[in-house]
């Protein structure tokens, strides 16, 4: 009955979404703002019901109910509890139900907590959110039902893809989905504001926390996914420009641009039309990403569906929502009044340049990701666009973006003088000069991109602290601290990327037990090889002794694992983190000669990449809390007055 109850809840939630859209449409068309309470109540009820439906699916996985086709195809009774739980969304139908659940929950949150928007705009926003939900409810109910029964039920399930049997599955997809789908709120805000012609600073202040929240989750999801792929896949890389990775990067780029433009609109009444456009584009990129990884168009550990019907369904939704929003934008853009003016040399000007550069990078990634798919669809020819294209095109623009990021916080709002800005840049420029001297002396042969990356990382680190100069640190607003921490995180992450790229040492070798090899500052001895067994796998485990100079040896034990359900072989890398980098060791296959393949990397300061990502997200969190605190204090002030 749990499956039937879950499906019933899903149908009722879909019906409520239709009611929410219909009531909202009538209220906006007839100017009946008093119906806001009814729309709010329906939105909350819809969110609760779809959440209960998702909880029902989780319960089915935890109970290993093999009479449900989805559970039987993606789980096994011998799996550890964590992977039964996280396996709920480790498949096509479950992940789409999670998508719809977050969509409904986001609408509920807007209905419950949003109090600053005009009633008519809020009604239009909730109606737009319901319109989004309806399409994805239809997708689930008519093409991807997660509660389909299997008669007769098998004795046990087929198991979960071993690459997904990792704690990362419990964290990475939900955080990324919260970011993806969280941007639906900004999309609905934009549509609602266009419908009611209500694009002004108050609208931007209402939308900003939702954008910031989604951006935080996107940042965490991408950072977690990068590290998960790094240690799980055994390839030794942290970013591959894989289409699936790009699918998450594109909405992040658009959301980062939106986060800056919405701040200009909220505080300086500028960039009105541009902000609305970015809100539409950001969620459009989320839907494009969903289409790429859930339509079966890509072959990846993320791709669960190969049914062309589902791909066509998602493509139709993509066309309806993006096309509809763009049409509305084209029809209403003439009614959006021009905002305040500002000089090119100003903080607003720097933010505009920031937006243009982020948009350029987004365009490069978009073309590089979709062009091979388009060529294959038209001609059948398979093309591959990889790191050489992205590094050569997006790399230089990113470095220029970093330069703007150094200067932006040092400029004044509205108008500034270039000569004064240059004076304020003296310390970051000095830091770059010192870094240049050190690099030339220590490592003159480093590549140009990592060279520039290290130079600019030093400048960004100092430039990010500029908003704190001359301030009373205890009285500095929390959202200012958030900006400082986030920008400093960019510097940390950039330093990690540049160091790893510029100084990495890699050794691929066939070895007998007892032999030693050199990688970076370590001598690694192949000390032994033993069979081991886990809860649902067996493995060959190598014992590798790594010694740095005369120090104590580090013992690392990479494994070559074999899973039986489904039959799959994987490599479990052994990674040891030290202060200045990571030693990364992988046991490969045995060669006909009897020797074993060993892949070994020394990665200087690679952990800074993810530390910086965490700092960026934490900075966003501080900014979010700071904005809430200021709004609450402002509300108290108005109440007392």
């Amino acid at each position: 009955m749990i499956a039937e109850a879950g499906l019933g809840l899903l149908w009722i939630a879909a019906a409520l979404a239709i009611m929410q859209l219909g009531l909202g449409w009538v209220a906006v068309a007839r100017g009946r703002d008093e119906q806001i309470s009814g729309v709010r109540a329906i939105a909350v009820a819809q969110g609760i019901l779809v959440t209960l439906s998702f909880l029902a699916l989780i319960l089915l996985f935890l109970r290993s109910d093999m009479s449900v086709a989805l559970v039987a195809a993606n789980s096994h009774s011998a799996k550890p509890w964590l992977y039964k739980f996280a396996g709920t969304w480790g498949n096509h139908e479950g992940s789409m139900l999670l998508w719809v659940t977050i969509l409904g929950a986001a609408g509920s949150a807007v209905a419950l907590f949003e109090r600053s928007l005009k009633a008519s705009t809020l009604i239009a926003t909730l109606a737009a959110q319901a319109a989004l939900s309806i399409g994805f409810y239809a997708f689930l109910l008519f093409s991807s039902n997660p509660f389909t029964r299997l008669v007769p039920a098998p004795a046990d399930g087929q198991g979960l893809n071993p690459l997904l049997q990792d704690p990362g599955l419990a964290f990475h997809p939900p955080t990324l989905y919260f970011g993806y789908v969280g941007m639906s709120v900004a999309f609905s805000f934009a549509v609602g504001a266009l419908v009611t012609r209500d694009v002004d600073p108050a609208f931007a202040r209402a939308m900003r926390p939702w954008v910031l929240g989604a951006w935080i989750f996107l940042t965490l999801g991408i950072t977690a996914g990068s590290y998960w792929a790094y240690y799980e896949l055994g390839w030794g890389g942290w970013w591959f420009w894989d289409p699936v990775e790009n699918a998450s990067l594109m909405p992040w780029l658009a959301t980062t641009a939106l986060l800056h433009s919405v701040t200009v609109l909220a505080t300086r009444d500028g960039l009105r039309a541009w902000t609305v456009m970015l809100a539409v584009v950001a969620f459009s990129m989320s839907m494009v990403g969903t289409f790429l990884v859930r339509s079966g168009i890509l072959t990846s550990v993320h791709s669960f569906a190969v049914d062309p019907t589902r791909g066509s369904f998602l493509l139709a939704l993509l066309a309806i929502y993006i096309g509809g929003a763009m049409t509305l934008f084209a029809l209403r853009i003439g009614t959006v009044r021009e905002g305040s003016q500002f000089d090119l040399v100003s903080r607003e000007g720097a933010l505009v340049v920031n937006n243009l550069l982020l948009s350029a990078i987004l365009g490069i990634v978009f073309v590089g990701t979709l062009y091979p798919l388009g060529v294959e669809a038209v001609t059948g020819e398979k093309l591959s666009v990889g790191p050489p294209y992205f590094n050569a095109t997006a790399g230089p623009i990113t470095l220029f973006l970093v330069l703007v990021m150094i200067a932006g916080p040092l400029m004044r709002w509205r108008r500034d003088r270039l000569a004064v800005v240059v004076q304020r840049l003296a310390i970051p420029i000095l830091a770059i000069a010192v870094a240049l001297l050190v690099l030339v002396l220590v490592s003159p042969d480093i590549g140009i991109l990592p060279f520039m990356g290290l130079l600019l990382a030093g400048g960004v680190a100092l430039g990010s602290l500029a908003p704190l100069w001359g301030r009373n640190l205890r009285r500095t607003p929390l959202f200012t601290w958030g900006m400082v921490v986030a920008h400093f995180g960019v510097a940390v992450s950039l330093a990690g990327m540049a160091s790893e790229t510029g100084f990495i040492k890699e050794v691929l070798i066939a070895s007998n037990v007892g032999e030693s090899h050199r990688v970076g500052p370590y001598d690694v001895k192949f000390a032994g090889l033993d069979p081991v067994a886990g809860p649902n796998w067996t493995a060959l485990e190598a014992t590798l002794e790594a010694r740095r100079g005369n120090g104590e040896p580090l013992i690392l034990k990479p494994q070559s694992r074999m899973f039986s359900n489904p039959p799959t072989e994987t490599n479990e890398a052994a990674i040891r983190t030290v202060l200045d980098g990571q030693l990364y060791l992988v046991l490969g296959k045995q060669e006909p000669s009897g020797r074993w393949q060993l892949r070994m990397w020394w990665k200087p300061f690679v952990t800074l990449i993810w530390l910086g990502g965490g700092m960026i997200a934490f900075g966003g969190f501080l900014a979010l809390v700071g904005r809430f605190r200021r709004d609450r204090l402002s509300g108290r002030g108005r109440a007392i007055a």
Side-chain angles (χ1 to χ4, degrees):
M1 287 300 292
I2 296 174
E4 287 71 23
L7 184 60
L9 290 167
L10 203 56
W11 273 105
I12 298 172
L16 287 176
I18 295 172
M19 288 178 59
Q20 183 180 330
L21 174 61
L23 187 61
W25 184 295
V26 171
V28 172
R30 299 182 179 180
R32 293 179 178 174
D33 291 354
E34 68 276 9
Q35 292 186 352
I36 180 67
S37 57
V39 178
R40 283 185 191 273
I42 295 173
V44 172
Q46 186 219 140
I48 291 172
L49 291 182
V50 70
T51 301
L52 289 174
S53 177
F54 184 63
L55 291 176
L57 187 63
I58 291 177
L59 189 57
L60 291 168
F61 270 84
L62 291 179
R63 292 163 60 102
S64 295
D65 186 344
M66 300 306 168
S67 69
V68 176
L70 186 65
V71 180
N74 297 280
S75 189
H76 191 279
S77 59
K79 272 198 320 182
W81 178 90
L82 176 63
Y83 303 136
K84 289 181 181 177
F85 171 72
T88 306
W89 51 82
N91 54 78
H92 172 78
E93 290 84 353
S95 66
M96 289 310 301
L97 180 54
L98 174 61
W99 213 98
V100 174
T101 300
I102 297 173
L103 196 61
S108 293
V110 173
L112 281 171
F113 302 114
E114 182 51 58
R115 291 291 184 271
S116 57
L117 269 185
K118 293 178 183 175
S120 58
T121 304
L122 180 56
I123 293 172
T125 299
L126 291 174
Q129 191 75 8
L132 290 174
S133 295
I134 290 168
F136 286 96
Y137 280 131
F139 178 71
L140 271 178
L141 293 169
F142 297 119
S143 76
S144 302
N145 179 7
F147 297 106
T148 301
R149 287 288 189 186
L150 200 58
V151 180
D156 213 330
Q158 299 173 24
L160 179 68
N161 183 339
L163 289 176
L164 298 177
Q165 295 186 38
D166 184 273
L169 182 62
F171 183 77
H172 166 58
T175 50
L176 201 58
Y177 272 36
F178 272 108
Y180 270 170
V181 188
M183 282 311 300
S184 68
V185 175
F187 178 91
S188 297
F189 266 66
V191 171
L194 285 172
V195 168
T196 59
R197 300 176 175 85
D198 189 26
V199 181
D200 60 12
F203 150 78
R205 285 193 290 273
M207 184 171 72
R208 182 166 54 187
W210 302 97
V211 175
L212 190 50
W215 181 80
I216 292 169
F217 278 111
L218 265 178
T219 306
L220 286 174
I222 292 172
T223 303
S226 168
Y227 191 66
W228 183 13
Y230 169 79
Y231 72 74
E232 180 62 26
L233 297 180
W235 296 345
W238 45 270
W239 191 265
F240 304 98
W241 292 109
D242 176 86
V244 175
E245 291 175 323
N246 295 346
S248 66
L249 180 62
M250 288 188 287
W252 186 86
L253 290 167
T255 307
T256 305
L258 173 61
L259 192 58
H260 289 87
S261 69
V262 78
T263 298
V264 175
L265 177 53
T267 58
R268 301 292 160 179
D269 192 16
L271 306 179
R272 290 187 177 203
W274 178 248
T275 299
V276 172
M277 170 66 89
L278 278 178
V280 172
V281 169
F283 184 60
S284 298
M285 290 298 104
S286 293
M287 287 194 287
V288 168
T290 303
F291 169 72
L292 288 176
V293 300
R294 292 291 176 267
S295 65
I297 197 170
L298 296 175
T299 302
S300 156
V301 70
H302 299 81
S303 305
F304 308 118
V306 292
D307 180 357
T309 303
R310 293 172 173 175
S312 302
F313 206 133
L314 282 175
L315 190 60
L317 291 179
L318 201 67
I320 291 170
Y321 291 133
I322 297 177
M326 289 299 179
T327 302
L328 179 64
F329 181 82
L331 293 174
R332 292 295 175 88
I333 190 61
T335 66
V336 177
R337 289 191 300 108
E338 186 180 2
S340 299
Q341 301 295 309
F342 50 85
D343 286 357
L344 178 60
V345 183
S346 64
R347 189 174 292 189
E348 291 95 327
L351 289 172
V352 168
V353 176
N354 155 296
N355 268 226
L356 293 175
L357 293 173
L358 282 168
S359 300
I361 298 170
L362 171 60
I364 289 169
V365 177
F366 185 84
V367 171
T369 304
L370 295 185
Y371 173 71
L373 301 175
V375 170
E376 184 178 351
V378 174
T379 67
E381 182 184 359
K382 288 186 176 295
L383 294 180
S384 176
V385 176
Y389 161 79
F390 291 105
N391 291 339
T393 52
I397 298 177
T398 302
L399 293 178
F400 188 52
L401 174 66
V402 170
L403 269 176
V404 176
M405 206 174 80
I406 297 173
L410 297 173
M411 295 184 178
R412 299 187 188 283
W413 292 105
R414 302 285 189 205
R415 183 179 298 110
D416 210 337
R417 288 190 301 156
L418 187 59
V420 177
V421 173
V422 171
Q423 289 179 6
R424 296 190 198 116
L425 283 169
I427 294 180
I429 290 173
L430 180 63
I432 292 174
V434 171
L436 173 64
L437 180 62
V438 171
L439 281 175
V440 168
L441 292 176
V442 174
S443 184
D445 299 327
I446 188 175
I448 183 65
L449 278 181
F451 182 83
M452 294 300 298
L454 284 171
L455 288 185
L456 293 178
V460 173
L462 275 178
S464 65
L465 301 176
L468 302 179
W469 296 347
R471 281 179 178 263
N472 181 333
L473 297 184
R474 295 182 61 183
R475 294 188 175 182
T476 300
L478 196 55
F479 54 81
T480 301
W481 277 106
M483 179 184 68
V484 169
V485 171
H487 284 188
F488 196 85
V490 172
V492 171
S493 203
L494 183 61
M497 295 174 192
S499 297
E500 198 269 352
T501 306
F503 304 114
I504 186 172
K505 301 296 182 186
E506 178 180 359
V507 174
L508 306 178
I509 197 166
S511 176
N512 290 312
V513 174
E515 292 180 347
S516 293
H517 312 281
R518 182 82 176 175
V519 56
Y522 285 93
D523 289 310
V524 180
K525 180 180 180 181
F526 190 179
L529 188 69
D530 301 289
V532 295
N536 60 341
W537 50 264
T538 58
L540 283 174
E541 182 179 86
T543 298
L544 300 171
E545 295 178 3
R547 189 184 297 273
R548 189 172 187 171
N550 295 321
E552 291 295 318
L554 305 175
I555 305 300
L556 292 92
K557 297 190 174 185
Q559 296 175 345
S560 177
R561 287 186 182 176
M562 175 59 74
F563 291 79
S564 56
N565 295 301
T568 308
E569 190 173 346
T570 66
N571 293 111
E572 294 294 316
I575 302 173
R576 183 60 59 92
T577 302
V578 294
L579 192 61
D580 57 343
Q582 279 189 336
L583 186 61
Y584 188 115
L585 306 178
V586 176
L587 173 66
K589 294 183 178 299
Q590 188 176 28
E591 294 190 339
S593 64
R595 295 182 299 177
W596 289 85
Q597 296 173 352
L598 292 179
R599 290 179 288 173
M600 307 187 290
W601 288 271
W602 165 243
K603 296 171 170 291
F605 299 105
V606 67
T607 49
L608 293 182
I609 296 172
W610 303 291
L611 174 63
M615 290 178 68
I616 294 169
F618 182 63
F621 174 74
L622 291 180
L624 185 63
V625 173
R627 295 290 179 192
F628 276 128
R629 284 181 59 186
R630 193 181 69 164
D631 291 347
R632 190 182 62 181
L633 291 174
S634 300
R636 284 182 183 174
R638 285 194 296 270
I640 292 171

